[in-house]
Amino acid sequence: MTEFDVATAAVQAALDAGARYADARVMHRRYESMSARNGEIESVAQDESAGVGVRALVGSGWGFYAVPDLSEPAARTAGNRAARIAAASGRVAGPGSTLVPTPASTGSWSSPCAVDPLSVPLSDKGDLLVRATRTSREHGADQAEGLYQIWDTRKWFVSSEGHRIDQHIRECGAGISATVIGDGETQRRSYPSYRGQYGTQGWELVDSLDLTAHAGRIAEEARELVTAPLCPAGETTLILGGEQMALQIHESVGHAIELDRILGWEAAFAGTSWLDLDQLGVLRYGSELMNITIDPTIPGALGSFGFDDEGTPATRRDAVREGRWVGTLAGRDSAAVAGLEYAGSVRADGWARLPMVRMTNVGLEPGPHTLDEMIAATDDGVLMDLNRSWSIDDKRLNFQFGCEIGWEIKNGRRGRMLRNPTYTGIGPLFWRSMDMLSSESVAWGTPNCGKGQPGQVGHTGHPAAPARFTGVRVGVRG
């Protein structure tokens, strides 16, 4: 049987068991990672899995069942059990619900890939991490670490509405860090991000990072940070680098606009949302420079795909336009409940997990300025970049973030380095204070977004550029 045959058998079995709608995803995923420490390979992991997951809708009750077996009997059993679970759920949930329409697509999609990352010899990958971490050690790091990760995922999707879609998504990325231990003080510097940079690309992405070329610099900066002055506490003008802006978007916008959180359907892992659907199209989320898009069509970004896991074609939409909240991340059922006309943001992290609303590429459109212009326009402030810690409440409203590195800004010039820089704020007040935004945008990849119970790990993208905010509380009061 082909993968499409397996998915079709599962869907038909669910319909035969009473489902009014059913879909099935056959998935085959290969994963590889390697880590190095201080010039030595520390671990290598390779994993492969395949299976079929089936969703069935009976009344308003969903059922899901998955098996690691691609035979026809196993697929039919999964479809039948998904429908039985849905029927049991429907008796509790009440009358039938609707799904936002989506075209019954038949198609294929593949992410761009110039160099298949799984075809690159392990020895070459290991040599890269060894060179980079050894270079950091030579430049003063007490501990130097490097990591790469690769995911190669194939999906075959069939629905009772006529969908028949296959996708091949290849993702990879890498990063390095240098840690220096001082007298009662430990500092870490990372490149290109505290977790690395990732995308739906081939090994050409890792090559472009040129890890070894930056390994010495981050070690030297970590050593300088150990004796740098503390970030002062107070209210000031704050400039955030693009990498930290990506996390700011992820935590205080991306999770907040997930429709299942807004409706109260998702609360177990990381809370709900401060947003109220009655304010959609009206609420002032930020300044007029704030334009947030939901765009899974960006070539090479980590949250890109051709179709989501409900078969909805990838489409660019606005979430915030000129500071006003205008859109959500939605699925077909949540959108119907909310009276919206669009979905397209549902994914699962594997064949054995129920698809749910997830971020795709949630990013901030570039602005009219440059980082140098923002610094030159700032008489007194702090520049911070690269995340070190984060904390945000269960409504995605109040937050406090720490960064790896900061610099004092005086009279339009970047000055001395600052250690342990932190800032805090309330989401909409913070975004409304953004008065300058750079055009220097990068689509940062986040491969470790957690959500759901049982927990799922999502891959999301966040186009972001440096930005300036006024009246922000920074530092820690003694």
Side-chain angles (χ1 to χ4, degrees):
M1 297 180 72
T2 68
E3 288 82 359
F4 276 127
D5 292 337
V6 172
T8 300
V11 167
Q12 188 59 54
L15 297 176
D16 293 343
R20 62 186 179 92
Y21 169 84
D23 61 40
R25 290 172 299 110
V26 174
M27 292 183 65
H28 177 206
R29 170 171 285 173
R30 292 183 291 167
Y31 172 75
E32 180 181 294
S33 69
M34 184 184 296
S35 65
R37 187 192 305 266
N38 297 340
E40 300 288 341
I41 298 300
E42 188 167 63
S43 68
V44 179
Q46 293 178 316
D47 182 62
E48 185 169 358
S49 69
V52 57
V54 190
R55 294 194 312 170
L57 182 60
V58 176
S60 62
W62 281 105
F64 177 76
Y65 200 85
V67 292
D69 185 342
L70 299 185
S71 68
E72 181 176 5
R76 292 193 61 83
T77 296
N80 179 274
R81 291 187 178 178
R84 288 165 55 191
I85 293 169
S89 301
R91 285 194 292 271
V92 176
S97 60
T98 58
L99 301 177
V100 168
T102 187
S105 304
T106 300
S108 298
W109 186 86
S110 295
S111 58
C113 179
V115 180
D116 180 356
L118 291 177
S119 72
V120 178
L122 279 173
S123 58
D124 291 354
K125 298 167 184 171
D127 288 346
L128 171 63
L129 297 184
V130 166
R131 284 196 307 272
T133 56
R134 187 171 291 159
T135 299
S136 276
R137 287 279 286 171
E138 291 168 352
H139 284 256
D142 293 314
Q143 180 168 279
E145 297 176 286
L147 168 74
Y148 76 77
Q149 296 184 86
I150 299 166
W151 299 265
D152 187 305
T153 305
R154 294 179 182 268
K155 302 181 182 183
W156 295 264
F157 178 81
V158 171
S159 83
S160 58
E161 294 177 336
H163 294 86
R164 189 180 175 92
I165 298 163
D166 66 279
Q167 300 188 79
H168 187 191
I169 302 174
R170 284 178 280 200
E171 306 159 296
C172 71
I176 54 174
S177 66
T179 301
V180 172
I181 302 169
D183 184 11
E185 186 75 32
T186 299
Q187 292 293 328
R188 167 187 162 123
R189 287 289 287 126
S190 307
Y191 172 81
S193 161
Y194 77 95
R195 69 177 83 78
Q197 170 64 319
Y198 296 83
T200 52
Q201 302 176 48
W203 194 252
E204 65 275 8
L205 170 60
V206 177
D207 284 338
S208 73
L209 299 176
D210 201 358
L211 299 179
T212 304
H214 295 268
R217 172 183 61 81
I218 63 171
E220 292 166 1
E221 289 180 352
R223 187 153 294 281
E224 186 177 353
L225 277 169
V226 168
T227 56
L230 278 169
C231 176
E235 194 171 283
T236 190
T237 298
L238 172 66
I239 298 176
L240 291 181
E243 192 270 356
Q244 178 61 26
M245 280 293 293
L247 183 75
Q248 183 71 53
I249 294 164
H250 180 99
E251 298 293 350
S252 68
V253 181
H255 279 307
I257 64 172
E258 291 170 335
L259 186 53
D260 56 348
R261 291 181 186 272
I262 295 170
L263 293 173
W265 295 4
E266 160 68 15
F269 188 84
T272 56
S273 172
W274 65 276
L275 293 170
D276 185 331
L277 273 176
D278 290 340
Q279 298 177 307
L280 185 63
V282 177
L283 175 73
R284 174 62 62 180
Y285 208 123
S287 75
E288 291 186 355
L289 287 171
M290 186 183 187
N291 294 293
I292 299 284
T293 60
I294 300 165
D295 190 0
T297 70
I298 300 172
L302 189 60
S304 296
F305 49 79
F307 303 84
D308 80 344
D309 283 353
E310 294 187 307
T312 303
T315 305
R316 181 185 183 278
R317 295 186 175 90
D318 287 337
V320 178
R321 179 53 51 186
E322 295 181 351
R324 197 174 304 279
W325 177 41
V326 296
T328 70
L329 293 153
R332 295 182 64 191
D333 54 353
S334 58
V337 168
L340 305 178
E341 298 178 350
Y342 58 85
S345 299
V346 166
R347 289 186 291 167
D349 75 352
W351 55 266
R353 289 288 182 263
L354 181 68
M356 64 171 66
V357 174
R358 299 306 303 257
M359 281 181 253
T360 61
N361 297 312
V362 179
L364 182 63
E365 289 187 350
H369 309 110
T370 66
L371 176 58
D372 287 344
E373 287 172 350
M374 286 187 281
I375 293 172
T378 302
D379 291 329
D380 185 67
V382 178
L383 167 62
M384 302 183 191
D385 202 10
L386 267 73
N387 183 257
R388 184 174 181 177
S389 65
W390 66 94
S391 175
I392 192 164
D393 69 13
D394 60 1
K395 287 186 175 293
R396 300 285 152 172
L397 184 60
N398 298 278
F399 62 82
Q400 178 173 303
F401 295 134
C403 294
E404 285 188 358
I405 192 167
W407 292 271
E408 185 179 65
I409 300 174
K410 292 290 186 183
N411 301 317
R413 294 181 179 274
R414 185 190 305 205
R416 59 182 181 166
M417 187 181 291
L418 302 173
R419 66 183 163 96
N420 301 340
T422 64
Y423 68 100
T424 186
I426 300 172
L429 299 180
F430 179 80
W431 284 104
R432 290 169 197 166
S433 77
M434 182 171 65
D435 69 343
M436 296 186 78
L437 175 62
S438 173
S439 61
E440 301 149 312
S441 183
V442 173
W444 293 97
T446 299
N448 60 334
C449 175
K451 186 178 178 182
Q453 190 176 2
Q456 297 191 36
V457 178
H459 295 180
T460 68
H462 303 290
R468 192 177 82 161
F469 302 85
T470 60
V472 179
R473 179 156 294 283
V474 305
V476 179
R477 288 191 235 182

